[in-house]
Each structure stands twice: as C-alpha cells, then as structure tokens.
Amino acid sequence: IEHIGIAVQELEEAKKIYCDILGLELTGEKTLPERGVKVAFLETGNTKIELLEGIGVESSVSKFVERKGPGMHHICFEVDDIERVMKELEAAGVRLIDETPRRGAEGKLVAFLHPKSLSGVLIELTEK
Ligand code: CO
C-alpha cells in the first residue's frame, strides 16, 4: 500500500488532528486546481496518508464529502508497470475510471479503478 486517501472537510483542521494529536509527520502539501484538490501527505512509518480537501463544488472529493461525509476515500497500491496492470485488470472485467495513466500529486503515474468493481472501494494504482 503506497498510501491511504482520506477525504476531509478542512485540510487545516484535519492536519491538526493527524499531525498534532496523532503525531504523524507532514511531509508535503500541494494544491492541484486541475484535479480540484488540496492534498497533504503524512508519513506513518510503513505507508503514507493523503489528506484530501476538495476545491469547489465540482471536485470529486467535494462531492464525496457532500454525499458521505469526511472519511476514507481510496487505497493506493504501488505496481511495477501500471499500463500492464491496467490492461490485465480491464481484461478481467474491472472497470477503470482512467483509461490511461496520468500524473498524480507526487508526479508519478496514477490511475483509478471503479469502486463498483472492487467491493465499494476506490482503488488508485501508482507506478513505482
Ligand atoms: Co491518492
């Protein structure tokens, strides 16, 4: 698991809880207007947590929080060859959200898989 994504209402508020109270280390922060999110990366020791705050009502994270409230948003698995894995999963009947990989918040190639195919969990793939 490369990271776990958590959708939050307010990034600053969530950082206080996860960093100041839980003691996780903030290792990076980014605003990605094209994806409609502000993100903060926290180091836990064996994986990372990605806190996500939506920007604007059209953001998929804003919609998620609106619908379900803040909470676990996705799990990200690291793979060696993202295009190969996507082809294999698609051939096995898994619905892809991204037809082709794109650059994620940390500059690596990422792609999302549809939760309908994965027991209701949004899965992100990222290439090493
Ligand atoms: Co992610």
Side-chain angles (χ1 to χ4, degrees):
I1 294 177
E2 211 278 333
H3 65 265
I4 294 171
I6 298 176
V8 304
Q9 197 96 51
E10 286 227 357
L11 199 55
E12 289 310 311
E13 204 55 42
K15 272 163 51 190
K16 276 185 203 141
I17 297 162
Y18 281 88
C19 300
D20 300 351
I21 299 172
L22 291 188
L24 302 181
E25 185 198 349
L26 179 71
T27 55
E29 255 185 289
K30 253 181 198 166
T31 301
L32 302 162
E34 70 285 0
R35 278 183 59 206
V37 286
K38 282 199 284 187
V39 298
F41 295 100
L42 314 177
E43 191 53 64
T44 72
N46 50 18
T47 189
K48 286 179 287 185
I49 286 181
E50 179 185 60
L51 299 176
L52 303 141
E53 178 191 320
I55 305 171
V57 286
E58 285 308 306
S59 155
S60 63
V61 172
S62 302
K63 285 179 184 166
F64 178 95
V65 171
E66 168 93 32
R67 230 175 35 245
K68 303 187 179 182
M72 221 198 75
H73 182 261
H74 66 273
I75 296 177
C76 178
F77 292 117
E78 187 178 72
V79 298
D80 287 323
D81 181 343
I82 195 166
E83 298 214 24
R84 181 178 56 76
V85 171
M86 286 170 74
K87 279 198 192 96
E88 286 173 5
L89 292 175
E90 195 172 24
V94 174
R95 254 172 80 186
L96 309 178
I97 292 177
D98 297 299
E99 292 299 322
T100 51
R102 54 197 171 86
R103 292 283 160 197
E106 294 181 290
K108 296 187 211 169
L109 287 177
V110 304
F112 283 89
L113 310 175
H114 203 286
K116 282 238 161 73
S117 301
L118 297 150
S119 308
V121 178
L122 177 63
I123 300 282
E124 178 181 9
L125 301 175
T126 186
E127 192 165 85
K128 256 184 194 158

